[in-house]
């Protein structure tokens, strides 16, 4: 725990959203979980939890402003973004803090800019000047721009995907902020970027990413001036200049070694690029697996194309239709975002039989499905995340109805794109996981951790805007491998001045 010599006041806020520009549903205030003032300290989660708890333990006075969490979804309504930015700037003007600590995502695009975090940090820096430290904890799926790094002192990411270490990331931001305030840290950040995305193999615990992270830890252990190495795997649905894998190194004072280390780590991505591939099953292969492996049930099926966890709308019906038409007898739970169908089912009430067209309200090219079923449960759709990823965070599916179709499939009709990476999304709606053969989660990574011990994870190759496929989506600004032919990128180090 860092010692403090003065009674510091640090302003804290969280503003997070992962913006998938291919999702036509705008992320406006209604889709955010928003808390203000002291409320954000009642039961904080993730980076905010690590940040605030560490500051309090050190004896720092916290000035909480707001926590606005949009999860993942479409582009953020720029007017909403501007209102939140102004609220934050107003708080800074009023409070005049000694430092600012933020939880941001790193891939919050709005309808006007793909780099909202850069805009926000620049506005804060212009207001407070160069002497007030600004510390930020991010998701490693950020689109990290020079503007973000130039306008913050401490800008670091979590290190694990699935993200089991957000709290540790927040703790580190707090510790580094205190060290800087005390004059024991003079943060200097170096970055190196390689113009490529990861078409697959995005987990940090295995494959090439595990090797690159191990090398980063080795470098950090060898150089005492290195305080953090963050490795960003850019969110694949951002369209901006200079997207890519970014390595940042934060050192105490300038270091002669960090530029070459950053370039070496970034170059490893390029060398290993062909290994970043996923092994996905087809829809039929997945259901055959469920049918032929009773001892492994229930399965939890990661619906890669329609991942709400990657900002897709969550309105896909392919898995529902496959289960209803082709795999008679299998019992399962399938979430579908459909505000209209959810409202109709809620209006009909528990016990009513309804026939509804469900799904496909947002994603271009999706097909709705007509279903008849019994309304089994209705609720406001609020729950608290119980698994390690996002533990303790409030999650809002909006008004939700559970419709039992064919007496064996429970369709969760949600108003908002539900975060179904966590079992509580289902159990909070009276769904009993142990009674099922399969559960559909609109997630590619985090559900594996949050369903551990409860269900066998498997990934399915489904269409939709939640999974990158070469040449399927239009990129106007971004130039990257494998979308574009890049022979041999020049990878250089860049120093950022806060
Ligand atoms: Zn992430």
């Amino acid at each position: 725990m860092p010692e403090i010599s003065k009674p510091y006041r640090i302003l804290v806020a969280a503003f997070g959203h992962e913006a998938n520009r291919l999702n036509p549903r705008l992320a406006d205030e209604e889709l955010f979980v928003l808390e203000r003032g002291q409320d954000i300290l009642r039961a904080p989660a993730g980076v905010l939890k690590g940040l605030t708890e560490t500051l309090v333990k050190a004896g720092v006075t916290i000035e909480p402003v707001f926590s606005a969490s949009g999860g993942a979804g479409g582009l953020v309504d720029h007017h909403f973004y501007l209102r939140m930015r102004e609220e934050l700037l107003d708080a800074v003007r009023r409070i005049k803090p000694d430092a600012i600590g933020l939880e941001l995502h790193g891939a919050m695009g709005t309808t006007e800019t793909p780099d909202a975090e850069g805009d926000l940090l620049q506005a804060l820096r212009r207001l407070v000047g160069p002497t007030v430290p600004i510390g930020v904890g991010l998701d490693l799926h950020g689109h990290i721009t020079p503007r973000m790094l130039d306008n913050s002192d401490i800008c670091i990411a979590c290190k694990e995907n699935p993200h089991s270490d957000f709290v540790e990331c927040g703790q580190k931001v707090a510790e580094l902020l205190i060290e800087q305030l005390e004059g024991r840290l003079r943060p200097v950040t170096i970055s190196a970027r390689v113009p490529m995305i990861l078409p697959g193999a995005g987990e940090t615990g295995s494959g090439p990413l595990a090797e690159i992270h191990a090398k980063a830890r080795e470098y950090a252990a060898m150089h005492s001036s290195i305080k953090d190495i963050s490795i960003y795997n850019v969110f694949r649905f951002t369209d901006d200049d200079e997207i890519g894998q970014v390595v940042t190194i934060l050192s105490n004072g300038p270091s002669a070694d960090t530029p070459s280390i950053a370039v070496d780590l970034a170059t490893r991505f390029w060398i290993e690029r062909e290994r970043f591939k996923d092994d996905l099953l087809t829809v039929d292969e997945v259901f055959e697996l469920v049918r032929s492996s009773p001892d492994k049930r229930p399965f939890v099926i990661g619906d890669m194309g329609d991942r709400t966890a990657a900002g897709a709308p969550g309105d896909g019906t392919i898995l529902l239709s496959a289960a209803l038409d082709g795999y008679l007898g299998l019992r399962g739970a399938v979430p579908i975002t459909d505000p209209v169908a959810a409202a109709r089912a809620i209006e009909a009430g528990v016990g009513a039989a309804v026939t509804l067209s469900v799904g496909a309200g947002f994603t271009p090219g999706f097909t709705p499905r007509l279903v008849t079923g019994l309304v089994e449960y209705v609720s406001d759709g609020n729950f608290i995340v119980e698994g390690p990823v996002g533990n303790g965070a409030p999650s809002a599916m909006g008004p939700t109805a559970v419709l039992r179709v064919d007496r064996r499939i429970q369709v969760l009709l949600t108003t908002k794109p539900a975060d179904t990476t966590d079992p509580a999304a289902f159990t909070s709606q009276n769904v009993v996981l142990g009674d099922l053969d399969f559960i559909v989660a609109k997630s590619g990574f985090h559900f594996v951790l949050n369903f551990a011990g409860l269900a066998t994870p498997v990934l399915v190759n489904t269409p939709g805007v939640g999974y990158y496929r070469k040449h399927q989506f239009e990129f106007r600004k971004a130039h990257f491998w494998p979308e574009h032919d890049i022979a041999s990128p020049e990878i250089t180090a860049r120093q950022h001045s806060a």
Side-chain angles (χ1 to χ4, degrees), residues 18 105 139-142 158 160-161 163 166 309 445-446:
E18 187 176 63
H105 181 280
D139 188 306
L140 62 80
H141 295 115
C158 66
E160 314 263 349
N161 184 34
H163 306 319
F166 274 140
F445 303 114
H446 311 325

